[in-house]
Amino acid sequence: MKLRVNKASPFARKVRILARETGLTGRIEEIETTVSPVNANEDLARENPLVKIPALVTDSGETLYDSGVICEYLDTLHAASRFFPAAGPRRFAALRRHALTDGILEAAVLCRYETAVRPENLRWNDWIEGQKRKIFGGLTVLEGEVDTWSGDFDIGQIGVACALGYLDFRFADWNWRSGHPRLAAWYERVLRRPSVTATAPS
Ligand SMILES: N[C@@H](CCC(=O)N[C@@H](CS)C(=O)NCC(=O)O)C(=O)O
């Protein structure tokens, strides 16, 4: 399988973590791919019309996107316990947490583009502040529930790790740990996982 990634991408990182957690790395070739919302990568566009990473070409030649779909597909290819719980409350808790962290990431990536890609004279600070409110609203929810999480590093918790890692990587000055001590303590433990260390954004 061929997986288009970028070592800075938090969405690609979810897939890269799951591949390492499930022992699938030997079956996946990671292809470093540069993306920009204003300069389409033509090779990637042939695989994903949204021109976003991650995108996976399976062994049978089918292309899958986005990160959640790819993670769920890879989760069918290993014999260990599932990262997408099969049914019941655990499944919907994991899916809801995954959706929340995807929303945090979408808002954070939009802020990144606003500051790194958009010409300075066109930037709109209120808009960045609006995205930031979504991110910190999400962190408040995670802080309130983190002590109830199971020890299973499921797709929801992978999403949380990638969201916090991205905030450290791109927005360290936002200091997300302040006001979220329980989440910060959880993250310190997660940072010891080899899959998380090996995929640190760069
Ligand atoms: N919902 C998508 C989001 C993927 C995404 O936004 N990836 C970014 C990199 S972190 C990207 O490819 N951006 C290029 C663009 O927006 O054109 C997923 O979960 O895979």
Side-chain angles (χ1 to χ4, degrees):
M1 293 179 276
K2 290 188 191 311
L3 178 67
R4 288 195 178 272
V5 300
N6 182 308
K7 291 199 172 69
S9 166
F11 293 103
R13 190 181 186 197
K14 284 194 288 169
V15 180
R16 296 171 65 227
I17 286 178
L18 193 129
R20 282 156 180 79
E21 290 283 340
T22 55
L24 287 169
T25 46
R27 294 178 58 184
I28 300 171
E29 181 190 352
E30 292 188 1
I31 302 170
E32 192 70 14
T33 302
T34 304
V35 286
S36 158
V38 289
N39 264 325
N41 177 319
E42 296 304 329
D43 292 335
L44 176 60
R46 278 188 279 280
E47 291 166 13
N48 178 358
L50 303 176
V51 206
K52 293 186 178 189
I53 53 169
L56 178 81
V57 180
T58 67
D59 286 340
S60 56
E62 189 186 356
T63 303
L64 294 178
Y65 43 84
D66 59 14
S67 57
V69 175
I70 298 171
C71 284
E72 192 154 6
Y73 173 72
L74 294 183
D75 204 28
T76 65
L77 301 183
H78 65 92
S81 61
R82 294 279 168 250
F83 285 73
F84 286 76
R90 274 196 57 221
R91 174 172 174 78
F92 289 100
L95 292 183
R96 194 265 308 153
R97 194 163 298 126
H98 178 227
L100 177 62
T101 55
D102 261 9
I104 290 173
L105 281 177
E106 275 156 21
V109 168
L110 287 177
C111 287
R112 168 71 184 163
Y113 290 152
E114 188 71 15
T115 49
V117 179
R118 193 184 294 280
E120 201 166 349
N121 62 322
L122 297 179
R123 283 182 204 151
W124 186 13
N125 206 46
D126 286 354
W127 191 88
I128 294 181
E129 288 304 317
Q131 299 302 321
K132 211 172 154 183
R133 270 196 299 279
K134 294 175 198 282
I135 294 165
F136 278 82
L139 292 178
T140 301
V141 169
L142 296 173
E143 173 72 8
E145 65 183 31
V146 62
D147 286 344
T148 68
W149 295 351
S150 76
D152 295 333
F153 193 51
D154 60 21
I155 188 62
Q157 295 193 21
I158 290 176
V160 179
C162 292
L164 299 179
Y166 190 70
L167 294 178
D168 275 347
F169 179 53
R170 292 297 192 202
F171 300 103
D173 57 318
W174 289 358
N175 194 16
W176 68 264
R177 286 175 180 76
S178 168
H180 307 100
R182 291 189 283 270
L183 195 56
W186 174 86
Y187 187 53
E188 286 314 306
R189 292 194 296 278
V190 162
L191 279 175
R192 289 185 217 127
R193 295 184 87 92
S195 65
V196 175
T197 312
T199 57
S202 60

